[in-house]
Amino acid sequence: MVGKGLDPIFAQGSAPGRSAIAVVRLSGKLPASLYEELKINKNERSFFLREINFGSFADSCLVLNFPAPGSYTGESMLEIQSHGNQLIVAEIFQWLEERGLREAEPGEFSKRAFLNNKISLVQAEGISLGIEAETKDQLVALDSFRSGVLSKKIESVMSQLNGVLVELEAQLDFSDEEDVVDTRSSVIQDSLNCVLIELSDLLKNYGPYEKNSLKKKVVLVGRPNVGKSSIFNSLLNEDVAIVSQKAGTTRDVVRKVLPLSGFEVEIEDTAGLRPETNDEIEKSGMNLSVKAAAAADLLIYVTDDPEETVPQEFKDHSFLVLNKCDLSPPPPSFSGLSVSAKTGEGMGLLLEKLNSLVSSSSGQKLISERTHKKLESAKKIVSKKASGADFFEMTAQNIRDANQELNEIYGELDNEKILDQIFNNFCIGK
Amino acid sequence: MNNIFDLVVIGGGHAGVEAVLAGKRMGHNVALITLDKTKTGRMSCNPAIGGIGKTHLAKEIDALGGYMAEATDLSGIQFRTLNKKKGPAVQATRAQADKELYEKTIQAKLEKEQIDVFEDEVIDFEEKNGEIFAAVGKNKKYKAKAFVLTTGTFLNGAILIGNNKREGGRIDEKKATGLEKFFEKQDLMLGRLKTGTPPRLAKETINFEVLEEQPGDQEVCYMSFLENKNAHPKQVSCFITKTNKKTHNIIKKNIKKSAMYSGLISGVGPRYCPSIEDKIMRFSSKDSHQIFVEPEGLESNWVYPNGISTSLPGEVQEEYIRSIEGFESAKILQQGYAVEYDYIDPRNLEKTLRLKNFKNLFLAGQINGTTGYEEAGAQGMVAGINASLLVQKKTEWIPQRQNSYMGVLVDDLTRFGVSEPYRMFTSRAEHRLVLRQDNADERMFEAGKHMGLINKEREEAFLKKQKEKKQNFEQLRKTKIKLGDQTKTAHDLCKRNDFTMEDVKERLERTNKRFGETYYDIRYSGYVDKQRRELEKMRNLEEHDLGLIFDYAEVVGLSGEVKEKLNKTKPKNLLEAAGVEGITPAALNVLAIHLKKIDAIRTS
């Protein structure tokens, strides 16, 4: 008796490299001989401790058996947990290939799960984006997309559209019936406007997921020679930016990812700003600084003068940091944060402050780019204004077209090409 | 007499008539077998042709050279355009026909075309290996190369009035017997449907003075594209009255006596054409329902009160009729009744309407679960044409959803089957905007011409109309209009919502009566492009040959139900598979992947 499924495949489910354990997953029509060799009853959903002999050596592995269809892919699946060494994993791969299995294509596990109706297209995308997410914020923002909350909202839009369609079709097909009272086009348009508001809200609240979605950008600005680059290096705990006594040393924007607890922020050091300079290179550097400041989620305005306040143009999302506190302590009236990049004094506080400011979620929610496009095009269709004698038919046509767009979000009408695109975005094994 | 034919059509209703005429036009030796010659082409129910969605079918029949529309023009005593305030895609010409004149017109046509009509009852078929050799009548055997069967409501028909149930396909007419046994042998999933008619009233006993008059349209309109070739007889009005609380009380009090409520009827009736009992019981909040009082003919004393079909006993019918304004002393000439009949699940049919189990047996009309003269006639065309093509050993003709209501009809029937008598609606056509009653001739011309269905007269009328539309089109193209600092053509304005048809028209030097049609051709041209893209997509699916899959049980990823359906229907390609009920796009993907796998194995 062979297992249910397509040809058997395998893939590493854990990250490559050294770790306590490594996970290799198998799915498909797994050969009966494999179960026999592992002394596992094919139909027993359980886990087994097995010493697997790879010829030259053996490793003690935990083998989990998921009989079809109660598995991620809906096929017969086995999961082998070995010790986490890539050399052992390589042996497992070879051992499996000798038994007629092949390594999975990117996204093949999820594709099978989709084809076996284990997951919907949106769920599949949610899984993919969930793996891809780089920050906790992104995961939080993807939550309603991944959990199906969004699908309820889309369903609600579709059912409202269908409600209007029913009204329209009654006017078209049964206008000669006594029970169908004439509906004015303005009434239809009002109902459509309600749906339109709902669609617009959806689009406003849900942005398309991109690699850098929600990744926070922190930019250091200030006059020249106040110690921005020193603070930058100190925050990163390495010498990235060149530091010198000379004002205007930094000409370019220097970027680096700063890992904070649970998420990452991009931090940028910029050229110091001063009103007058004849140096063309410095001028263009300053232009870049202003641009970087404009794109920042958070500005750290660095100064070495306790009297200085944040200039008007940087007032938004910024806070003041007084550097060089080792040279002269800040006056009691100073309300900002005072640090010394040189001695490290106050740097811990600055990190903490960054952490709390950056980790507060923006409330923005994310969905897959494909879903976002579909919502946008549905909105565009519903916004088309019909008028004239054929108002009812044209509007009905628009609603049908819009519903088709919304339907495609859930894979109802998608063609294979889209599927391939989606599933190719998956990393192997998931 | 020589009883060997190319094509034998059984049943002389609206399906049978179009089928036999199509066979004749395509040059075949044809025969029509019917129970009663004098009732050929009879309107068993409402004496009217057309309606929203239905007219589209009637015009398509006409565009293929059929006779329904011409007969309507010759016998129509009132013409109205429905949905006049809406766009052209949902407008429909509806005609009230002189019932007797209509059937006489049909019968005269059959005679003129020298079609052999036999009065006989077909009780069996002679068959070998899925091929029918002869229809066995009580009198004779009829041998032919192809057969079209149109039993209407006569297959195992039963007439029900009150608690009285008797066999028959129409009031006072016998049912067709024997054939149900033939079909039972074939395992074709026979089902049961019902429909009903109202009591017919004597014109002279109705007080028309108190009724609201409903005249026809001032402007003369025609059902056939041949237009004024067939002059209408004298035009008359219809009238409107309504039921009242008293009527409703009478019906409620006697509801148990209705055949429908006493459990005598098992068949499913159409939701959109409910009996008066249903209207009152299901919509109890309404205390009045409209009744259209329609004359059955110019000379006829019969009146058809449309909207109160019933299966209540005769005495109750009389009581509630007399409670209605204008009917106080009305005399019932024929009681209302319900009729129950067998139909064959149309999923047993190819899209040519040929039964899958047989090489040369086609079904059309109510036997396939539909209702309506136009629906029947359209199927008669499809069946008659394909039976003729079979005789000629030519490729079948399948009307497509994208270009006709006939396509929608056969596609819906064969894919989804029916759960109630199937009636055409414009909402069934996803390409509604481009499937207009006025362009049915354009949509069908090429196919009709190719199959030899279009005679010279029809072709000339068609070309003349095309020429007129072209003149308008050229006017629209060459008329320049200044809008602010931009110069547009009148053609550009047709697609804009801020200009009405009249706005555009008055800017043109000259137009002809086809201006509206030309205008809407341009206005909806975007949808024609969309249609074309969709057809291309379908052709792609068609290229995936499923012939290599012998047993769908082997295809992993399909549900058991889907596997079973595919094994049963054996679609030729992905396009056909897409048409199988319950096949999701995900399932299609599984099939496509499976095909790739097979391909990989074969080429490795």
Side-chain angles (χ1 to χ4, degrees):
Chain A
M1 170 100 181
V2 283
K4 179 190 177 213
L6 297 168
D7 62 322
I9 52 171
F10 64 84
Q12 185 169 357
S14 56
R18 285 176 202 280
S19 55
I21 56 163
V23 178
V24 176
R25 303 204 300 173
L26 288 58
S27 180
K29 210 178 241 181
L30 301 175
S33 55
L34 184 67
Y35 290 101
E36 277 163 26
E37 196 175 344
L38 290 169
K39 295 191 184 66
I40 287 174
N41 177 357
K42 187 180 171 305
N43 298 315
E44 188 182 350
R45 187 185 172 87
S46 186
F47 53 88
F48 310 88
L49 190 62
R50 293 290 182 266
E51 185 89 1
I52 301 181
N53 195 330
F54 303 114
S56 48
F57 70 95
D59 190 36
S60 173
C61 300
L62 186 65
V63 184
L64 282 64
N65 184 27
F66 302 94
S71 70
Y72 173 66
T73 57
E75 303 175 327
S76 299
M77 282 185 76
L78 286 173
E79 193 173 305
I80 300 174
Q81 301 185 354
S82 71
H83 288 101
N85 181 323
Q86 215 46 40
L87 296 170
I88 299 175
V89 173
E91 282 302 320
I92 297 177
F93 277 22
Q94 200 191 329
W95 185 79
L96 288 171
E97 272 165 7
E98 283 162 6
R99 277 151 188 80
L101 282 77
R102 67 168 171 84
E103 197 170 350
E105 302 289 333
E108 206 171 356
F109 278 72
S110 291
K111 189 166 182 172
R112 289 183 177 193
F114 171 75
L115 293 177
N116 287 330
N117 284 329
K118 282 293 196 172
I119 52 172
S120 73
L121 207 50
V122 165
Q123 275 176 309
E125 285 180 309
I127 291 166
S128 157
L129 295 182
I131 295 165
E132 225 181 84
E134 286 176 349
T135 70
K136 193 177 142 202
D137 273 9
Q138 288 179 338
L139 280 177
V140 170
L142 281 166
D143 188 57
S144 68
F145 180 66
R146 280 150 43 91
S147 67
V149 171
L150 178 77
S151 74
K152 295 228 164 57
K153 293 187 175 170
I154 293 174
E155 267 166 35
S156 144
V157 169
M158 287 175 73
S159 89
Q160 287 178 59
L161 283 174
N162 277 328
V164 183
L165 190 60
V166 167
E167 186 73 24
L168 287 167
E169 296 295 1
Q171 293 290 324
L172 294 171
D173 272 335
F174 300 99
S175 61
D176 52 341
E177 303 278 331
E178 49 161 330
D179 269 357
V180 181
V181 187
D182 267 8
T183 307
R184 286 211 315 272
S185 57
S186 62
V187 174
I188 298 287
Q189 195 56 57
D190 285 349
S191 324
L192 275 186
N193 290 344
C194 288
V195 184
L196 211 50
I197 288 169
E198 205 155 308
L199 265 173
S200 303
D201 280 352
L202 270 181
L203 278 166
K204 214 188 295 162
N205 293 332
Y206 289 85
Y209 179 91
E210 287 154 14
K211 209 166 169 49
N212 289 321
S213 296
L214 305 187
K215 201 182 242 182
K216 295 280 165 53
K217 198 187 222 183
V218 176
V219 177
L220 292 155
V221 283
R223 287 178 290 104
N225 216 13
V226 291
K228 294 182 293 298
S229 299
S230 303
I231 292 179
F232 183 73
N233 286 344
S234 172
L235 280 172
L236 290 163
N237 214 5
E238 62 181 306
D239 288 337
V240 179
I242 301 166
V243 179
S244 82
Q245 293 297 320
K246 203 176 153 218
T249 304
T250 307
R251 297 289 174 95
D252 249 337
V253 176
V254 183
R255 289 186 188 87
K256 189 81 184 171
V257 169
L258 171 66
L260 292 176
S261 59
F263 58 94
E264 295 165 339
V265 301
E266 192 170 70
I267 184 155
E268 291 183 359
D269 184 23
T270 63
L273 303 165
R274 56 176 163 181
E276 274 156 46
T277 176
N278 294 324
D279 186 337
E280 283 302 316
I281 298 177
E282 195 185 351
K283 263 190 196 166
S284 47
M286 278 158 57
N287 278 337
L288 289 177
S289 304
V290 174
K291 263 190 203 154
D297 293 294
L298 184 68
L299 277 178
I300 302 177
Y301 190 81
V302 184
T303 183
D304 53 5
D305 173 6
E307 302 297 314
E308 192 182 358
T309 54
V310 182
Q312 194 56 42
E313 71 250 51
F314 300 135
K315 270 271 182 334
D316 274 356
H317 341 281
S318 67
F319 73 97
L320 185 63
V321 171
L322 177 70
N323 193 18
K324 305 180 187 172
C325 72
D326 54 319
L327 297 180
S328 56
S333 60
F334 183 73
S335 62
L337 195 68
S338 59
V339 301
S340 164
K342 196 171 170 189
T343 65
E345 192 187 333
M347 288 305 291
L349 278 174
L350 176 58
L351 264 176
E352 236 170 69
K353 177 124 188 175
L354 271 182
N355 220 335
S356 70
L357 282 172
V358 178
S359 64
S360 64
S361 169
S362 62
Q364 167 81 346
K365 298 189 180 98
L366 293 175
I367 50 183
S368 71
E369 211 182 329
R370 187 187 67 90
T371 303
H372 194 262
K373 276 197 182 135
K374 291 279 171 204
L375 284 174
E376 264 184 340
S377 97
K379 186 191 157 195
K380 205 173 133 200
I381 295 168
V382 180
S383 327
K384 279 194 209 164
K385 287 269 184 298
S387 72
D390 53 5
F391 170 85
F392 287 87
E393 307 95 279
M394 293 291 255
T395 308
Q397 185 68 45
N398 289 342
I399 291 178
R400 282 162 188 257
D401 291 348
N403 263 345
Q404 188 169 341
E405 293 293 324
L406 295 174
N407 253 323
E408 284 177 7
I409 291 175
Y410 290 92
E412 293 272 313
L413 297 152
D414 263 319
N415 56 33
E416 206 186 335
K417 212 165 126 196
I418 296 172
L419 277 183
D420 281 344
Q421 269 172 24
I422 291 167
F423 288 107
N424 285 342
N425 288 336
F426 283 96
C427 56
I428 292 190
K430 248 293 180 184
Chain B
M1 191 187 268
N2 182 7
N3 282 336
I4 302 176
F5 300 94
D6 291 328
L7 172 63
V8 160
V9 177
I10 301 139
H14 306 278
V17 166
E18 295 301 349
V20 81
L21 284 173
K24 185 76 187 181
R25 281 201 301 290
M26 287 172 77
H28 296 295
N29 175 17
V30 297
L32 182 69
I33 306 169
T34 179
L35 290 169
D36 184 346
K37 263 185 194 184
T38 65
K39 287 172 180 161
T40 304
R42 170 151 298 187
M43 299 178 142
S44 323
C45 200
N46 187 2
I49 297 278
I52 301 162
K54 291 158 105 48
T55 305
H56 294 76
L57 286 171
K59 297 242 176 192
E60 287 171 13
I61 295 169
D62 185 65
L64 290 171
Y67 199 61
M68 177 174 278
E70 280 193 74
T72 306
D73 282 338
L74 286 167
S75 63
I77 52 177
Q78 189 202 59
F79 286 78
R80 280 199 305 136
T81 300
L82 306 177
N83 267 344
K84 214 185 258 171
K85 285 186 213 146
K86 304 204 174 73
V90 295
Q91 285 185 9
T93 305
R94 181 185 187 274
Q96 205 64 46
D98 182 314
K99 184 174 163 175
E100 206 183 323
L101 188 54
Y102 185 88
E103 62 189 42
K104 291 281 171 283
T105 307
I106 294 283
Q107 288 162 20
K109 174 74 176 175
L110 294 180
E111 203 169 319
K112 191 182 155 216
E113 298 295 331
Q114 297 176 330
I115 286 165
D116 287 323
V117 183
F118 298 90
E119 268 186 6
D120 201 349
E121 183 180 355
V122 172
I123 47 169
D124 202 1
F125 286 110
E126 276 183 5
E127 173 248 347
K128 195 178 173 189
N129 298 331
E131 190 171 352
I132 308 270
F133 291 99
V136 183
K138 276 188 175 163
N139 305 334
K140 288 189 187 104
K141 262 190 202 173
Y142 306 85
K143 292 188 178 170
K145 293 174 189 154
F147 297 83
V148 177
L149 181 66
T150 70
T151 54
T153 57
F154 285 75
L155 193 61
N156 216 2
I159 303 288
L160 301 107
I161 304 177
N163 59 6
N164 180 320
K165 179 174 180 175
R166 57 178 184 267
E167 292 183 346
R170 213 154 32 195
I171 195 109
D172 304 328
E173 287 179 53
K174 59 185 178 181
K175 69 166 187 176
T177 40
L179 279 184
E180 75 265 26
K181 289 195 188 72
F182 171 80
F183 283 117
E184 273 159 18
K185 275 189 297 194
Q186 311 301 331
D187 184 26
L188 288 171
M189 297 175 283
L190 288 177
R192 208 137 169 87
L193 292 173
K194 76 134 258 235
T195 185
T197 69
R200 311 300 155 86
L201 309 176
K203 194 188 269 175
E204 63 205 5
T205 62
I206 295 173
N207 179 11
F208 286 98
E209 283 181 9
V210 296
L211 302 186
E212 182 192 331
E213 187 172 349
Q214 190 189 38
D217 285 354
Q218 287 291 322
E219 195 187 340
V220 183
C221 46
Y222 294 95
M223 197 62 84
S224 168
F225 287 104
L226 296 175
E227 300 191 333
N228 42 14
K229 176 203 171 198
N230 302 301
H232 300 326
K234 186 184 145 197
Q235 299 293 291
V236 298
S237 288
C238 291
F239 295 84
I240 298 171
T241 183
K242 48 186 186 292
T243 61
N244 52 47
K245 273 189 183 152
K246 200 175 158 202
T247 323
H248 292 203
N249 284 336
I250 295 166
I251 290 167
K252 275 183 206 157
K253 200 175 68 199
N254 292 291
I255 193 73
K256 288 258 160 59
K257 294 180 192 160
S258 164
M260 253 169 306
Y261 283 80
S262 64
L264 213 54
I265 291 181
S266 58
V268 184
R271 274 174 305 174
Y272 37 78
C273 187
S275 62
I276 187 65
E277 292 98 297
D278 269 350
K279 284 186 191 175
I280 287 164
M281 299 313 283
R282 291 207 338 239
F283 306 100
S284 52
S285 60
K286 292 204 65 170
D287 45 24
S288 176
H289 295 280
Q290 218 163 28
I291 304 168
F292 293 94
V293 185
E294 303 171 348
E296 289 211 348
L298 291 175
E299 308 298 326
S300 169
N301 190 31
W302 286 47
V303 165
Y304 185 99
N306 191 354
I308 47 169
S309 77
T310 184
S311 61
L312 283 160
E315 64 278 9
V316 183
Q317 292 187 24
E318 194 162 296
E319 195 185 347
Y320 86 69
I321 282 290
R322 293 202 169 157
S323 72
I324 295 165
E325 192 177 22
F327 295 170
E328 289 86 352
S329 46
K331 192 179 149 216
I332 294 179
L333 293 175
Q334 179 195 294
Q335 288 175 359
Y337 60 91
V339 55
E340 247 194 333
Y341 53 97
D342 281 351
Y343 78 99
I344 282 160
D345 187 331
R347 285 173 292 190
N348 291 303
L349 303 170
E350 297 283 354
K351 289 193 202 311
T352 56
L353 299 184
R354 179 175 62 77
L355 261 178
K356 285 176 186 170
N357 304 20
F358 294 96
K359 293 187 181 111
N360 59 346
L361 179 58
F362 298 77
L363 305 184
Q366 275 169 302
I367 190 172
N368 294 338
T370 63
T371 172
Y373 311 142
E374 304 81 354
E375 286 83 351
Q379 291 172 71
M381 290 296 304
V382 175
I385 288 171
N386 280 297
S388 303
L389 289 170
L390 181 76
V391 173
Q392 296 170 6
K393 297 195 170 69
K394 284 190 184 155
T395 321
E396 59 194 22
W397 173 68
I398 295 169
Q400 299 294 318
R401 295 188 80 93
Q402 281 81 355
N403 54 25
S404 65
Y405 276 83
M406 269 186 202
V408 173
L409 176 68
V410 296
D411 193 47
D412 278 353
L413 289 177
T414 55
R415 277 168 70 185
F416 306 120
V418 299
S419 53
E420 65 183 326
Y422 180 102
R423 193 210 125 148
M424 187 48 73
F425 296 110
T426 68
S427 51
R428 296 194 195 271
E430 47 284 84
H431 300 280
R432 170 167 61 197
L433 288 176
V434 287
L435 305 185
R436 311 188 320 245
Q437 65 165 3
D438 65 71
N439 67 9
D441 53 345
E442 282 166 43
R443 293 186 275 112
M444 309 309 266
F445 184 79
E446 202 183 319
K449 175 88 182 156
H450 178 72
M451 296 185 292
L453 289 159
I454 313 278
N455 63 19
K456 208 164 168 231
E457 180 187 27
R458 221 165 250 289
E459 183 164 356
E460 274 166 12
F462 173 75
L463 293 176
K464 181 167 171 269
K465 181 175 148 187
Q466 292 307 303
K467 204 172 142 194
E468 286 165 349
K469 282 177 81 166
K470 204 171 160 219
Q471 285 166 357
N472 289 327
F473 191 82
E474 279 162 4
Q475 279 284 317
L476 283 163
R477 271 276 187 222
K478 77 174 193 203
T479 306
K480 300 262 190 297
I481 290 157
K482 264 202 147 356
L483 292 176
D485 50 1
Q486 281 181 313
T487 305
K488 301 263 176 203
T489 63
H491 180 275
D492 297 333
L493 301 192
C494 296
K495 287 187 184 179
R496 290 175 56 153
N497 275 332
D498 45 352
F499 289 86
T500 65
M501 184 168 86
E502 285 67 33
D503 292 341
V504 180
K505 193 176 177 184
E506 67 191 19
R507 288 161 198 259
L508 300 189
E509 214 170 282
R510 61 191 155 83
T511 54
N512 56 43
K513 63 174 177 177
R514 310 285 180 196
F515 179 74
E517 294 169 43
T518 321
Y519 170 84
Y520 281 106
D521 278 351
I522 297 164
R523 190 165 164 81
Y524 297 147
S525 55
Y527 292 95
V528 178
D529 295 341
K530 195 177 153 201
Q531 249 179 338
R532 211 191 42 235
R533 285 196 300 274
E534 216 151 290
L535 274 172
E536 271 161 23
K537 213 161 105 187
M538 306 237 303
R539 255 176 236 130
N540 265 335
L541 283 178
E542 215 166 10
E543 279 164 17
H544 288 78
D545 185 4
L546 288 176
L548 293 167
I549 303 178
F550 298 106
D551 184 1
Y552 285 90
E554 282 175 10
V555 184
V556 181
L558 295 176
S559 75
E561 192 194 352
V562 166
K563 283 178 185 172
E564 198 181 304
K565 270 189 182 144
L566 289 171
N567 268 336
K568 219 164 160 186
T569 49
K570 291 271 179 224
K572 288 195 198 88
N573 51 48
L574 275 188
L575 179 63
E576 280 193 26
V580 176
E581 195 188 4
I583 303 293
T584 62
L588 280 185
N589 275 315
V590 172
L591 287 175
I593 290 163
H594 192 82
L595 286 178
K596 275 186 197 159
K597 243 173 70 184
I598 294 180
D599 209 38
I601 293 165
R602 278 158 49 93
T603 50
S604 66

